[in-house]
């Protein structure tokens, strides 16, 4: 349970911009969740432990992304990807990697990972594809996608998630 608590505390610090505190809890959560990943009595508990470990890795990647260390971010996403493949969790970090490659200015790699998911109906994937189109200066393609997903973001009252694509 301590590993789980560390994740939520780290994420709270992260979203508030307290990165030094976030990394401390994130590292602790990652260690604890890795140590207990196979300590489950039921299938549901096992799936939850897998999720906690992958979430810990994803959180570390996000911290490095926020600091501009995209190479380290990709390393954590790759560890999470391999874990997801080995344990059949279905969370293989394609969207996350696509975003990092976009931030690195590697649009072809970004498109590759974003399209690899096969989940083109997902509004979050579409948002990242639109952002990559903007980076590639294909504004008409980006606008077409943003027009498709804007109603969903409004309906779900998700604020602040389309504007970052535009900047």
């Amino acid at each position: 349970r301590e590993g789980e608590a560390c994740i939520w505390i780290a994420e709270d610090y992260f979203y508030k911009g307290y990165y030094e505190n976030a990394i401390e809890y994130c590292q602790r959560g990652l260690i604890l969740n890795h140590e207990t990943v196979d300590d489950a009595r039921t299938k549901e508990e096992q799936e939850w432990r897998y999720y906690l470990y992958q979430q810990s890795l994803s959180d570390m990647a996000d911290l490095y992304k926020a600091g501009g260390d995209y190479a380290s971010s990709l390393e954590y996403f790759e560890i999470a990807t391999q874990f997801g493949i080995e344990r059949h969790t279905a969370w293989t970090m394609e969207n996350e990697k696509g975003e990092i490659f976009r931030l690195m200015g590697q649009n072809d790699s970004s498109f590759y990972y974003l399209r690899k998911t096969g989940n083109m109906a997902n509004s979050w994937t579409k948002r990242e594809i639109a952002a990559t189109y903007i980076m590639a200066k294909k504004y008409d393609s980006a606008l077409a996608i943003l027009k498709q997903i804007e109603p969903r973001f409004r309906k779900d009252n998700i604020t602040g998630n389309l504007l970052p694509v535009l900047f």
Side-chain angles (χ1 to χ4, degrees), residues 32-89:
L32 292 170
N33 289 318
H34 184 257
E35 288 174 353
T36 61
V37 75
D38 291 315
D39 296 346
R41 288 176 246 143
T42 66
K43 183 179 189 289
E44 291 78 20
E45 185 181 352
Q46 187 66 70
E47 289 172 356
W48 181 245
R49 290 187 184 275
Y50 288 171
Y51 165 76
L52 291 174
Y53 179 59
Q54 280 191 288
Q55 187 62 51
S56 298
L57 291 164
S58 179
D59 287 347
M60 284 298 290
D62 285 342
L63 281 164
Y64 280 104
K65 175 181 72 175
D69 185 350
Y70 301 134
S72 294
S73 181
L74 281 173
E75 287 176 22
Y76 278 99
F77 283 137
E78 188 56 35
I79 294 168
T81 296
Q82 291 308 311
F83 181 85
I85 291 168
E86 291 166 8
R87 306 295 176 101
H88 309 286
T89 68

Coordinates of all heavy atoms in Angstrom, one line a residue, residues 32-89:
L32 N 9.1 0.4 -4.4 CA 8.2 -0.4 -3.7 C 7.2 -1.2 -4.6 O 7.0 -2.4 -4.4 CB 7.3 0.5 -2.7 CG 8.1 1.1 -1.6 CD1 7.2 2.1 -0.9 CD2 8.5 0.0 -0.6
N33 N 6.8 -0.5 -5.7 CA 5.9 -1.2 -6.6 C 6.6 -2.3 -7.4 O 6.0 -3.3 -7.7 CB 5.1 -0.2 -7.5 CG 4.1 0.6 -6.7 OD1 3.4 0.0 -5.9 ND2 4.1 1.9 -7.0
H34 N 7.9 -2.1 -7.7 CA 8.6 -3.1 -8.3 C 8.9 -4.3 -7.4 O 8.8 -5.5 -7.8 CB 10.0 -2.6 -8.8 CG 10.8 -3.6 -9.6 ND1 11.9 -4.2 -9.1 CD2 10.6 -4.0 -10.9 CE1 12.4 -5.0 -10.0 NE2 11.6 -4.9 -11.1
E35 N 9.1 -4.1 -6.1 CA 9.4 -5.1 -5.2 C 8.1 -6.0 -4.9 O 8.3 -7.2 -4.6 CB 9.8 -4.6 -3.8 CG 11.3 -4.0 -3.9 CD 11.6 -3.3 -2.6 OE1 10.8 -3.1 -1.7 OE2 12.8 -2.9 -2.5
T36 N 7.0 -5.4 -5.1 CA 5.7 -6.1 -4.7 C 4.9 -6.5 -6.0 O 3.8 -7.0 -5.8 CB 4.9 -5.3 -3.8 OG1 4.5 -4.1 -4.4 CG2 5.6 -5.0 -2.5
V37 N 5.5 -6.3 -7.2 CA 4.7 -6.6 -8.4 C 4.1 -8.0 -8.5 O 3.1 -8.2 -9.1 CB 5.5 -6.2 -9.6 CG1 6.6 -7.2 -10.0 CG2 4.6 -5.9 -10.8
D38 N 4.8 -8.9 -7.9 CA 4.3 -10.3 -8.0 C 3.7 -10.9 -6.7 O 3.5 -12.1 -6.6 CB 5.5 -11.2 -8.5 CG 5.9 -11.0 -9.9 OD1 5.0 -10.8 -10.8 OD2 7.1 -10.9 -10.2
D39 N 3.5 -10.0 -5.8 CA 2.9 -10.4 -4.5 C 1.4 -10.3 -4.5 O 0.8 -9.5 -3.7 CB 3.5 -9.6 -3.3 CG 5.0 -9.7 -3.2 OD1 5.5 -10.7 -3.7 OD2 5.6 -8.9 -2.5
A40 N 0.7 -11.0 -5.3 CA -0.7 -10.9 -5.4 C -1.4 -12.3 -5.1 O -0.8 -13.3 -5.4 CB -1.1 -10.4 -6.7
R41 N -2.6 -12.3 -4.5 CA -3.3 -13.5 -4.3 C -4.4 -13.8 -5.3 O -4.8 -14.9 -5.4 CB -3.9 -13.4 -2.9 CG -2.8 -13.5 -1.8 CD -3.4 -13.4 -0.4 NE -2.8 -12.1 0.1 CZ -3.4 -11.2 0.8 NH1 -4.7 -11.4 1.2 NH2 -2.8 -10.2 1.2
T42 N -4.8 -12.8 -6.0 CA -5.9 -13.0 -7.0 C -5.5 -12.3 -8.3 O -4.5 -11.5 -8.3 CB -7.2 -12.3 -6.5 OG1 -7.0 -10.9 -6.5 CG2 -7.6 -12.8 -5.1
K43 N -6.2 -12.7 -9.3 CA -5.9 -12.2 -10.7 C -6.1 -10.6 -10.7 O -5.4 -9.9 -11.2 CB -6.8 -12.8 -11.7 CG -6.6 -12.4 -13.1 CD -7.5 -13.1 -14.1 CE -7.1 -12.9 -15.5 NZ -7.4 -11.6 -16.0
E44 N -7.2 -10.2 -10.0 CA -7.5 -8.8 -10.0 C -6.4 -8.0 -9.2 O -6.0 -6.9 -9.6 CB -8.9 -8.5 -9.3 CG -10.1 -9.0 -10.1 CD -10.3 -10.5 -10.0 OE1 -9.8 -11.2 -9.1 OE2 -10.9 -11.1 -10.9
E45 N -5.9 -8.6 -8.1 CA -4.9 -7.9 -7.4 C -3.6 -7.9 -8.2 O -2.8 -6.9 -8.2 CB -4.6 -8.6 -6.1 CG -3.6 -7.9 -5.2 CD -3.3 -8.7 -3.9 OE1 -4.0 -9.6 -3.5 OE2 -2.4 -8.2 -3.2
Q46 N -3.3 -9.0 -9.0 CA -2.2 -9.0 -9.8 C -2.2 -7.9 -10.9 O -1.3 -7.2 -11.1 CB -2.0 -10.4 -10.5 CG -0.7 -10.5 -11.3 CD 0.5 -10.5 -10.3 OE1 0.7 -11.4 -9.6 NE2 1.3 -9.4 -10.4
E47 N -3.4 -7.8 -11.5 CA -3.5 -6.7 -12.5 C -3.3 -5.3 -11.9 O -2.7 -4.5 -12.5 CB -4.9 -6.8 -13.2 CG -5.1 -8.0 -14.1 CD -6.5 -8.3 -14.6 OE1 -7.4 -7.5 -14.2 OE2 -6.7 -9.2 -15.4
W48 N -3.8 -5.1 -10.7 CA -3.7 -3.8 -10.0 C -2.2 -3.6 -9.7 O -1.7 -2.5 -10.0 CB -4.5 -3.8 -8.7 CG -4.4 -2.5 -8.0 CD1 -3.8 -2.3 -6.8 CD2 -4.8 -1.2 -8.4 NE1 -3.9 -1.0 -6.4 CE2 -4.5 -0.3 -7.4 CE3 -5.4 -0.8 -9.6 CZ2 -4.8 1.1 -7.5 CZ3 -5.7 0.6 -9.7 CH2 -5.4 1.5 -8.7
R49 N -1.5 -4.6 -9.3 CA 0.0 -4.4 -9.0 C 0.7 -4.1 -10.3 O 1.7 -3.3 -10.3 CB 0.5 -5.6 -8.3 CG 0.0 -5.7 -6.9 CD 0.7 -6.9 -6.1 NE 0.2 -7.0 -4.8 CZ 0.5 -6.3 -3.8 NH1 1.5 -5.4 -3.9 NH2 0.0 -6.5 -2.6
Y50 N 0.4 -4.8 -11.4 CA 1.0 -4.5 -12.7 C 0.7 -3.0 -13.1 O 1.6 -2.3 -13.5 CB 0.4 -5.4 -13.8 CG 0.8 -6.8 -13.8 CD1 0.2 -7.7 -14.6 CD2 1.8 -7.3 -12.9 CE1 0.6 -9.1 -14.6 CE2 2.2 -8.6 -12.9 CZ 1.6 -9.5 -13.7 OH 2.0 -10.8 -13.7
Y51 N -0.5 -2.6 -12.9 CA -0.9 -1.2 -13.2 C 0.0 -0.2 -12.3 O 0.5 0.7 -12.9 CB -2.3 -0.9 -12.9 CG -2.6 0.5 -12.9 CD1 -2.7 1.3 -14.1 CD2 -2.8 1.2 -11.7 CE1 -2.9 2.7 -14.0 CE2 -3.0 2.6 -11.6 CZ -3.1 3.3 -12.8 OH -3.3 4.6 -12.7
L52 N 0.1 -0.5 -11.0 CA 0.9 0.4 -10.2 C 2.3 0.5 -10.6 O 2.9 1.6 -10.6 CB 0.8 -0.1 -8.7 CG -0.6 0.0 -8.0 CD1 -0.5 -0.6 -6.6 CD2 -1.0 1.5 -7.9
Y53 N 2.9 -0.6 -11.0 CA 4.3 -0.6 -11.4 C 4.4 0.2 -12.7 O 5.3 1.1 -12.8 CB 4.8 -2.0 -11.6 CG 6.3 -2.0 -12.0 CD1 7.3 -1.4 -11.3 CD2 6.6 -2.7 -13.2 CE1 8.6 -1.4 -11.7 CE2 7.9 -2.7 -13.7 CZ 8.9 -2.1 -12.9 OH 10.2 -2.1 -13.4
Q54 N 3.6 -0.1 -13.7 CA 3.6 0.7 -14.9 C 3.3 2.2 -14.7 O 4.0 3.0 -15.3 CB 2.7 0.1 -16.0 CG 3.3 -1.1 -16.7 CD 2.4 -1.5 -17.9 OE1 1.3 -2.0 -17.7 NE2 3.0 -1.3 -19.0
Q55 N 2.4 2.5 -13.8 CA 2.1 3.9 -13.5 C 3.3 4.5 -12.9 O 3.6 5.7 -13.2 CB 0.9 4.0 -12.6 CG 0.4 5.4 -12.4 CD 0.0 6.1 -13.7 OE1 -0.8 5.5 -14.5 NE2 0.5 7.3 -14.0
S56 N 4.0 3.8 -12.0 CA 5.3 4.4 -11.4 C 6.3 4.7 -12.5 O 6.9 5.8 -12.5 CB 5.9 3.4 -10.4 OG 5.0 3.1 -9.4
L57 N 6.5 3.8 -13.5 CA 7.4 4.1 -14.6 C 6.9 5.2 -15.4 O 7.7 6.1 -15.8 CB 7.5 2.8 -15.4 CG 8.3 1.6 -14.8 CD1 8.0 0.3 -15.5 CD2 9.7 1.9 -14.6
S58 N 5.6 5.3 -15.7 CA 5.1 6.4 -16.5 C 5.3 7.7 -15.8 O 5.6 8.7 -16.4 CB 3.6 6.1 -16.8 OG 3.1 7.2 -17.5
D59 N 5.1 7.7 -14.5 CA 5.2 9.0 -13.7 C 6.7 9.4 -13.7 O 7.0 10.6 -13.8 CB 4.8 8.8 -12.2 CG 3.3 8.7 -12.1 OD1 2.6 9.0 -13.1 OD2 2.8 8.3 -11.0
M60 N 7.6 8.5 -13.6 CA 9.1 8.9 -13.7 C 9.3 9.5 -15.1 O 10.0 10.5 -15.2 CB 10.0 7.7 -13.4 CG 10.1 7.3 -12.0 SD 10.8 8.5 -10.9 CE 12.5 8.5 -11.5
A61 N 8.8 8.8 -16.1 CA 9.0 9.4 -17.5 C 8.4 10.8 -17.6 O 9.0 11.6 -18.2 CB 8.3 8.4 -18.5
D62 N 7.3 11.0 -17.0 CA 6.6 12.3 -17.1 C 7.5 13.4 -16.3 O 7.6 14.5 -16.8 CB 5.2 12.3 -16.5 CG 4.2 11.6 -17.4 OD1 4.5 11.5 -18.7 OD2 3.1 11.3 -17.0
L63 N 8.1 13.0 -15.2 CA 9.0 13.9 -14.5 C 10.2 14.3 -15.4 O 10.5 15.5 -15.5 CB 9.4 13.3 -13.2 CG 8.4 13.4 -12.1 CD1 8.8 12.4 -11.0 CD2 8.3 14.8 -11.6
Y64 N 10.8 13.3 -16.0 CA 11.9 13.6 -16.9 C 11.4 14.5 -18.1 O 12.1 15.4 -18.6 CB 12.6 12.4 -17.4 CG 13.6 11.8 -16.3 CD1 13.2 10.7 -15.5 CD2 14.8 12.5 -16.1 CE1 14.1 10.3 -14.6 CE2 15.7 12.0 -15.1 CZ 15.3 10.9 -14.4 OH 16.2 10.5 -13.4
K65 N 10.2 14.2 -18.6 CA 9.7 14.9 -19.7 C 9.5 16.4 -19.3 O 9.9 17.3 -20.1 CB 8.3 14.4 -20.2 CG 7.6 15.2 -21.3 CD 6.3 14.6 -21.7 CE 5.3 14.8 -20.6 NZ 3.9 14.3 -20.9
A66 N 9.0 16.6 -18.1 CA 8.8 18.0 -17.6 C 10.1 18.7 -17.5 O 10.2 19.9 -17.7 CB 8.1 18.0 -16.3
G67 N 11.2 18.0 -17.2 CA 12.5 18.6 -17.1 C 13.2 18.7 -18.4 O 14.4 19.2 -18.5
G68 N 12.6 18.2 -19.5 CA 13.2 18.3 -20.8 C 14.2 17.2 -21.1 O 14.9 17.3 -22.1
D69 N 14.3 16.2 -20.2 CA 15.2 15.1 -20.5 C 14.5 14.0 -21.2 O 14.0 13.0 -20.6 CB 15.8 14.6 -19.2 CG 16.9 13.5 -19.3 OD1 17.0 13.0 -20.5 OD2 17.5 13.2 -18.3
Y70 N 14.3 14.2 -22.5 CA 13.4 13.3 -23.3 C 14.0 11.9 -23.4 O 13.3 10.9 -23.5 CB 13.1 13.9 -24.6 CG 12.4 15.2 -24.5 CD1 12.8 16.3 -25.3 CD2 11.4 15.4 -23.6 CE1 12.2 17.5 -25.2 CE2 10.7 16.6 -23.5 CZ 11.1 17.7 -24.3 OH 10.5 18.9 -24.2
A71 N 15.4 11.8 -23.5 CA 16.0 10.5 -23.6 C 15.7 9.6 -22.3 O 15.4 8.5 -22.5 CB 17.5 10.7 -23.8
S72 N 15.8 10.2 -21.2 CA 15.5 9.5 -19.9 C 14.0 9.1 -19.9 O 13.7 8.0 -19.4 CB 15.9 10.3 -18.7 OG 17.3 10.4 -18.6
S73 N 13.2 10.1 -20.3 CA 11.8 9.8 -20.3 C 11.5 8.6 -21.2 O 10.7 7.7 -20.8 CB 11.0 11.0 -20.9 OG 9.7 10.8 -20.9
L74 N 12.1 8.5 -22.4 CA 11.9 7.4 -23.3 C 12.4 6.1 -22.7 O 11.8 5.0 -22.9 CB 12.6 7.6 -24.6 CG 11.8 8.5 -25.6 CD1 12.7 8.8 -26.8 CD2 10.5 7.9 -26.0
E75 N 13.5 6.2 -21.9 CA 14.0 5.0 -21.3 C 13.0 4.4 -20.3 O 12.7 3.2 -20.3 CB 15.3 5.3 -20.5 CG 16.5 5.5 -21.4 CD 17.7 5.9 -20.7 OE1 17.8 5.6 -19.5 OE2 18.6 6.5 -21.3
Y76 N 12.3 5.2 -19.5 CA 11.3 4.7 -18.6 C 10.1 4.2 -19.3 O 9.5 3.2 -18.9 CB 10.9 5.8 -17.6 CG 11.9 5.9 -16.4 CD1 12.8 6.9 -16.4 CD2 11.8 5.0 -15.4 CE1 13.7 7.0 -15.3 CE2 12.7 5.1 -14.3 CZ 13.7 6.1 -14.3 OH 14.5 6.2 -13.3
F77 N 9.7 4.9 -20.4 CA 8.6 4.4 -21.2 C 8.9 3.1 -21.8 O 8.1 2.2 -21.9 CB 8.2 5.4 -22.2 CG 7.3 6.5 -21.7 CD1 7.6 7.8 -22.1 CD2 6.3 6.3 -20.8 CE1 6.8 8.9 -21.6 CE2 5.5 7.4 -20.3 CZ 5.8 8.7 -20.7
E78 N 10.2 2.9 -22.2 CA 10.6 1.6 -22.8 C 10.5 0.5 -21.8 O 10.1 -0.7 -22.1 CB 11.9 1.7 -23.5 CG 12.3 0.5 -24.3 CD 11.3 0.1 -25.4 OE1 10.7 1.0 -26.0 OE2 11.1 -1.1 -25.6
I79 N 11.0 0.7 -20.6 CA 10.9 -0.3 -19.5 C 9.4 -0.7 -19.3 O 9.1 -1.8 -19.2 CB 11.5 0.2 -18.2 CG1 13.0 0.4 -18.4 CG2 11.2 -0.8 -17.1 CD1 13.7 1.2 -17.3
A80 N 8.5 0.3 -19.2 CA 7.1 0.1 -19.1 C 6.5 -0.7 -20.2 O 5.7 -1.5 -20.1 CB 6.4 1.4 -18.9
T81 N 7.0 -0.4 -21.4 CA 6.5 -1.1 -22.6 C 6.9 -2.5 -22.6 O 6.0 -3.4 -22.8 CB 7.1 -0.4 -23.9 OG1 6.7 0.9 -24.0 CG2 6.8 -1.2 -25.1
Q82 N 8.1 -2.8 -22.3 CA 8.6 -4.2 -22.2 C 7.8 -5.0 -21.1 O 7.4 -6.1 -21.3 CB 10.1 -4.3 -21.9 CG 10.9 -3.8 -23.1 CD 10.5 -4.5 -24.4 OE1 10.4 -5.7 -24.5 NE2 10.3 -3.7 -25.5
F83 N 7.6 -4.3 -20.0 CA 6.8 -5.0 -18.9 C 5.4 -5.3 -19.4 O 4.9 -6.3 -19.2 CB 6.8 -4.0 -17.7 CG 6.0 -4.6 -16.5 CD1 6.7 -5.5 -15.6 CD2 4.7 -4.3 -16.3 CE1 6.0 -6.1 -14.6 CE2 4.0 -4.9 -15.3 CZ 4.6 -5.8 -14.4
G84 N 4.8 -4.3 -20.1 CA 3.5 -4.5 -20.6 C 3.4 -5.6 -21.6 O 2.4 -6.4 -21.6
I85 N 4.4 -5.8 -22.4 CA 4.4 -6.8 -23.4 C 4.6 -8.2 -22.7 O 3.9 -9.2 -22.9 CB 5.5 -6.6 -24.4 CG1 5.2 -5.4 -25.3 CG2 5.8 -7.9 -25.3 CD1 6.3 -4.9 -26.2
E86 N 5.6 -8.2 -21.8 CA 5.8 -9.5 -21.1 C 4.7 -10.0 -20.2 O 4.4 -11.2 -20.1 CB 7.1 -9.3 -20.2 CG 8.4 -9.2 -21.0 CD 9.5 -8.7 -20.1 OE1 9.4 -8.6 -18.9 OE2 10.6 -8.4 -20.7
R87 N 4.0 -9.0 -19.6 CA 2.9 -9.4 -18.7 C 1.5 -9.2 -19.3 O 0.5 -9.4 -18.6 CB 2.9 -8.5 -17.4 CG 4.3 -8.5 -16.7 CD 4.6 -9.9 -16.1 NE 5.9 -10.0 -15.5 CZ 6.1 -9.9 -14.2 NH1 5.1 -9.8 -13.3 NH2 7.4 -9.9 -13.7
H88 N 1.4 -8.9 -20.6 CA 0.2 -8.8 -21.3 C -0.8 -7.8 -20.7 O -2.0 -8.1 -20.5 CB -0.5 -10.2 -21.5 CG 0.4 -11.2 -22.0 ND1 0.8 -11.3 -23.3 CD2 1.1 -12.3 -21.4 CE1 1.7 -12.3 -23.5 NE2 1.8 -12.9 -22.3
T89 N -0.3 -6.6 -20.4 CA -1.2 -5.6 -19.7 C -1.9 -4.8 -20.7 O -2.9 -4.1 -20.3 CB -0.4 -4.7 -18.8 OG1 0.5 -3.9 -19.6 CG2 0.5 -5.4 -17.8

